[in-house]
Amino acid sequence: MKLKFLFAVIVSFLSFCAWSQNIGVDTIQIESIDIVAPRLQHFSSTEKTVQIDSILIQRYDGKDLSSLLQKTSLVNVSSNGAFGALATVGMRGASGTHTSVNWNGIPVNSLTTGSADLSLINAGSFDQVQVIYGAVGSLYGSGTLGGAIELSNMPDWKKKSEIGLNSEIGSFSNSKTKLFGKYSNKSISYSGQAFFQYGKNDFTYTDFHDFGSPTERLNNNENRAFGTIQDLHLKINEHYIDFGAWYQVKEKNIGGLMGIGAPISYQKQRDSSFKAYIGWKKLIGKFRLEAKSAYLSDYLKYTDRGSATNTGYKTFSEIESKRWLNDANLRYYFSDKWSIDINGKYSWLKGITNNYEGDIIENESRLTLATKYSPQIGTFIFTYGKEWNSEVNPPEMYSFSSLIHLFPTIIDIRSKASTHYKRPTFNERYWNNSGNVDLKSENGWNYELGLMMLSQKALYGDITLDFNAYKALNDDLIAWQPGSGTLWKPINIGKTVIQGVDIEATHFLKVKNNNLRTSLKYAYNDAYNNDKESDNYKKSLAYRPHHLVKFSSDYLFGKWDAGVLGTLRSNTNTWEGDQVDGNLLVDINVGYRFNTKFAKIKLTGRVENLLDESYEIVRFYPMPGRAYYFGVNVIF
């Protein structure tokens, strides 16, 4: 009730200020970019948001999104092997189920598992990749304790057209080919792509879990993927209309595990998904109206023959989900500095699998109120969110954040206090012999304080610095824990604390036609069980490294570019109490671009894991050693 009262007071006070400033004002000058900008972007301007450099996106165009983020961002990637294996990403000590992945504002996390498998998402399929650390739950909804990842294909209203071909080949019989095209003018913007990827992935590795640490070769690890993404944007008499469709299939043989003897496996998995949406937005006077409707269908089939002679299946599992998501938004501008926003959502959710006791259908709705005030001193945002679900009872959520220009053009201060929440997933509630319909939803508070030094002259160039400290208190954390035999079950493990700091420094040096950009990123995190009733009181949560370091340096000269990229990850623990050693990975790359009479061409080369380190991220799942890649990008 106190927070409700505070919300009412803040809105009333700021609304009065805005009204008093606009007596007699009939029109408001609002930039067209603000009309087109998504709602989540509009209300995340006080958050720590990092946009992945377009050069890095192009460089890792042939890889999946988990590979790109692992090498470029302060995130913790969890991967059951490499090249198409399940990969999720956690941020700031949270797990993959606490990271919301959105495509043009549409959440694509799995309905059944709660996380997004980033091995299904190609790194180079999007114009923009943004990482929002600690995204607020009152704005995004369930499951954003760690943050959010925004994938966007942006419209371009300039007259242009192009078609292109991107192809890359690499070690372990890996290859990828992508055909893409774009067309735009002042009324239409279209982009489309189709891609195919294959990898045999029969790499060798050192098996630390076998006697004498022998060198083994991974077999039954083939991966095939193909798909298409289409985006169409129309601007008709100041009406903005968006269409998008994304279809993708991945077929993966699941390789054997590390341990005694050679890796043997007869497991296969097929994933297919279809996503489509239509959206509309329009500015009418001081009002901005927007509506969007999306349909998502996901299918997974997992099989295990058990042995080479078995013609049947030891395990056969099919999981399908269907979602219909609807979103309506109304924003009112009191002035060019002050706006208030009302958003309503309705979702129809269905899970279909023989692993549940029949099909599961849920209905969910959400109401969000948000207000943004941007005087000269900075920006202030308050959000309130409430969800209703036919099976669980989500709590009310609040957030207040600010970005203050302490010393204009020199130092900004960022602060935030907000609640978070995550409902149990379909699998956590309904999976036969494991699910628990009595699981409680996670909820709690998180806080953040940040200091940003804006671009300043130093070390013969320009330097920026971003420092953040954060803390999250979470009740009833849900985790899958080992039970009897090989059976794992989800349980509420009680109160947890996640706290830490992250630091990012970037230096840019330009001398004539020489450009050198160097970045150093460091994150310290301490995520532990804080339930005094638990046997694991004060123990670190599984697969949460205390230290992450990311380093990159890119040199551009004329038609050439070259770079080095390094990542360091400290040791982690497993839920069983074992340890997974940390790793140091180094990549080097080079590119050369030139123009012909008919096309623009860029040639690329890359060496990944230059030091040829044998390592694992998840215990018993080997990762590849040194690998070479060569690519060509042609634009007509």
Side-chain angles (χ1 to χ4, degrees):
M1 291 301 294
K2 291 181 179 179
L3 284 172
K4 290 182 180 178
F5 175 75
L6 176 62
F7 173 68
V9 170
I10 292 174
V11 171
S12 299
F13 172 74
L14 292 177
S15 297
F16 171 78
C17 293
W19 173 79
S20 62
Q21 290 173 357
N22 288 278
I23 296 176
V25 177
D26 296 321
T27 60
I28 297 172
Q29 296 299 320
I30 303 170
E31 294 183 12
S32 60
I33 190 173
D34 191 54
I35 301 171
V36 180
R39 182 181 66 93
L40 296 177
Q41 179 179 320
H42 181 75
F43 287 103
S44 295
S45 57
T46 53
E47 305 293 321
K48 178 184 176 180
T49 302
V50 177
Q51 183 166 314
I52 307 300
D53 191 280
S54 59
I55 293 177
L56 294 174
I57 295 176
Q58 294 171 10
R59 187 171 292 161
Y60 290 94
D61 184 280
K63 308 289 286 185
D64 62 38
L65 186 59
S66 67
S67 299
L68 174 68
L69 294 175
Q70 180 187 27
K71 298 172 187 297
T72 61
S73 305
L74 287 175
V75 301
N76 176 37
V77 172
S78 179
S79 177
N80 293 349
F83 305 114
L86 172 67
T88 61
V89 60
M91 300 160 62
R92 291 185 168 178
S95 70
T97 60
H98 298 109
T99 303
S100 176
V101 180
N102 303 278
W103 168 56
N104 292 329
I106 301 167
V108 298
N109 290 51
S110 169
L111 176 64
T112 54
T113 67
S115 59
D117 183 359
L118 301 192
S119 72
L120 295 170
I121 304 175
N122 287 293
S125 294
F126 310 95
D127 300 324
Q128 288 186 359
V129 178
Q130 289 184 316
V131 180
I132 303 168
Y133 294 87
V136 297
S138 53
L139 186 63
Y140 280 83
S142 172
T144 61
L145 171 60
I149 298 169
E150 295 287 341
L151 310 173
S152 306
N153 289 313
M154 308 301 293
D156 187 346
W157 305 113
K158 298 177 182 178
K159 186 172 179 58
K160 61 164 48 171
S161 63
E162 64 181 35
I163 60 172
L165 177 69
N166 188 318
S167 185
E168 183 177 79
I169 59 173
S171 299
F172 320 123
S173 301
N174 271 274
S175 64
K176 180 185 176 182
T177 300
K178 180 175 74 173
L179 178 67
F180 59 92
K182 294 183 177 182
Y183 174 81
S184 62
N185 57 36
K186 64 180 182 180
S187 300
I188 183 172
S189 179
Y190 164 79
S191 65
Q193 58 184 280
F195 54 87
F196 175 80
Q197 189 170 14
Y198 171 79
K200 191 173 182 180
N201 304 319
D202 55 343
F203 56 84
T204 59
Y205 62 93
T206 301
D207 193 339
F208 307 110
H209 304 287
D210 200 353
F211 297 110
S213 298
T215 297
E216 302 282 8
R217 181 175 294 277
L218 195 62
N219 51 38
N220 192 57
N221 201 36
E222 284 184 298
N223 179 64
R224 289 181 177 85
F226 60 89
T228 180
I229 299 178
Q230 306 290 324
D231 282 277
L232 177 64
H233 307 269
L234 303 175
K235 185 166 59 174
I236 305 172
N237 297 327
E238 298 305 320
H239 291 267
Y240 292 85
I241 303 173
D242 305 317
F243 301 91
W246 179 2
Y247 175 71
Q248 186 163 323
V249 174
K250 182 184 77 171
E251 297 178 338
K252 177 75 170 69
N253 292 350
I254 302 175
L257 301 179
M258 302 169 78
I260 298 175
I264 298 175
S265 174
Y266 303 95
Q267 304 170 77
K268 292 185 178 182
Q269 182 168 313
R270 176 186 172 89
D271 294 87
S272 64
S273 64
F274 175 74
K275 307 172 182 67
Y277 74 91
I278 179 172
W280 165 85
K281 46 187 169 282
K282 167 72 173 175
L283 183 69
I284 303 176
K286 299 179 182 181
F287 291 92
R288 180 190 185 275
L289 294 84
E290 182 175 6
K292 182 178 289 186
S293 185
Y295 174 77
L296 292 80
S297 175
D298 297 289
Y299 172 81
L300 181 153
K301 181 174 74 173
Y302 167 83
T303 62
D304 183 4
R305 289 194 293 118
S307 69
T309 58
N310 192 351
T311 57
Y313 292 115
K314 174 184 175 183
T315 303
F316 182 92
S317 175
E318 290 181 298
I319 304 175
E320 187 176 4
S321 68
K322 299 179 183 297
R323 286 175 280 179
W324 180 39
L325 312 179
N326 300 277
D327 186 312
N329 195 78
L330 172 66
R331 186 182 309 159
Y332 180 74
Y333 290 89
F334 294 100
S335 71
D336 59 345
K337 296 181 175 62
W338 174 256
S339 64
I340 189 167
D341 188 278
I342 301 175
N343 178 260
K345 292 180 181 292
Y346 168 74
S347 303
W348 177 84
L349 315 171
K350 184 175 183 180
I352 308 167
T353 174
N354 56 357
N355 298 294
Y356 301 159
E357 293 294 337
D359 297 348
I360 305 297
I361 296 178
E362 293 187 2
N363 295 278
E364 188 171 80
S365 55
R366 176 151 58 96
L367 175 67
T368 303
L369 304 177
T371 183
K372 179 178 180 179
Y373 183 50
S374 302
Q376 231 177 356
I377 191 176
T379 299
F380 303 87
I381 295 176
F382 187 90
T383 61
Y384 164 82
K386 172 60 181 172
E387 289 189 6
W388 295 268
N389 184 284
S390 56
E391 301 298 324
V392 297
N393 184 29
E396 296 177 336
M397 291 178 284
Y398 310 86
S399 172
F400 179 75
S401 59
S402 66
L403 178 66
I404 298 175
H405 309 310
L406 185 63
F407 299 105
T409 73
I410 301 177
I411 294 178
D412 285 351
I413 290 182
R414 180 171 46 230
S415 63
K416 180 180 67 177
S418 68
T419 58
H420 58 261
Y421 148 77
K422 189 185 84 68
R423 63 177 175 274
T425 66
F426 273 34
N427 284 2
E428 289 166 345
R429 278 181 285 165
Y430 304 121
W431 196 268
N432 289 335
N433 301 319
S434 296
N436 181 3
V437 294
D438 296 322
L439 278 175
K440 299 177 183 178
S441 298
E442 299 179 18
N443 65 90
W445 279 88
N446 58 83
Y447 312 90
E448 179 180 345
L449 182 64
L451 179 69
M452 293 173 291
M453 185 183 77
L454 307 179
S455 183
Q456 303 295 315
K457 297 293 182 182
L459 302 175
Y460 305 101
D462 297 294
I463 189 169
T464 60
L465 179 67
D466 192 308
F467 172 86
N468 291 270
Y470 58 87
K471 185 171 186 177
L473 308 175
N474 197 22
D475 292 336
D476 299 313
L477 180 76
I478 300 172
W480 287 79
Q481 300 278 272
S484 58
T486 59
L487 188 66
W488 286 57
K489 290 189 174 184
I491 63 171
N492 293 113
I493 66 175
K495 297 181 181 295
T496 57
V497 172
I498 299 175
Q499 57 190 1
V501 297
D502 49 61
I503 306 170
E504 300 192 24
T506 301
H507 182 263
F508 181 76
L509 175 64
K510 180 178 177 64
V511 179
K512 295 183 178 180
N513 291 327
N514 296 269
N515 296 277
L516 179 64
R517 185 178 185 273
T518 303
S519 175
L520 178 63
K521 305 178 182 182
Y522 169 73
Y524 169 78
N525 176 266
D526 187 18
Y528 60 90
N529 187 316
N530 199 39
D531 193 333
K532 294 182 180 179
E533 305 295 324
S534 171
D535 294 335
N536 296 315
Y537 179 56
K538 295 297 182 180
K539 289 186 178 180
S540 295
L541 301 181
Y543 294 109
R544 269 74 161 184
H546 285 304
H547 305 279
L548 287 173
V549 180
K550 309 290 173 80
F551 168 82
S552 66
S553 185
D554 293 292
Y555 175 65
L556 288 81
F557 174 72
K559 298 180 180 180
W560 288 91
D561 66 81
V564 59
L565 189 151
T567 66
L568 173 66
R569 184 175 186 265
S570 64
N571 301 338
T572 61
N573 298 323
T574 70
W575 289 114
E576 299 94 334
D578 297 309
Q579 178 177 287
V580 176
D581 293 337
N583 55 74
L584 171 64
L585 305 176
V586 178
D587 294 358
I588 58 173
N589 51 79
V590 64
Y592 177 74
R593 63 184 183 277
F594 60 94
N595 297 336
T596 69
K597 185 178 180 180
F598 304 102
K600 299 177 182 178
I601 301 174
K602 183 171 183 178
L603 306 177
T604 60
R606 186 173 75 254
V607 182
E608 295 188 5
N609 195 357
L610 178 68
L611 305 180
D612 199 25
E613 180 168 356
S614 291
Y615 70 104
E616 52 189 332
I617 296 177
V618 175
R619 187 170 166 82
F620 298 123
Y621 289 90
M623 300 296 285
R626 186 183 298 118
Y628 303 88
Y629 295 89
F630 304 93
V632 57
N633 187 49
V634 182
I635 299 176
F636 298 97

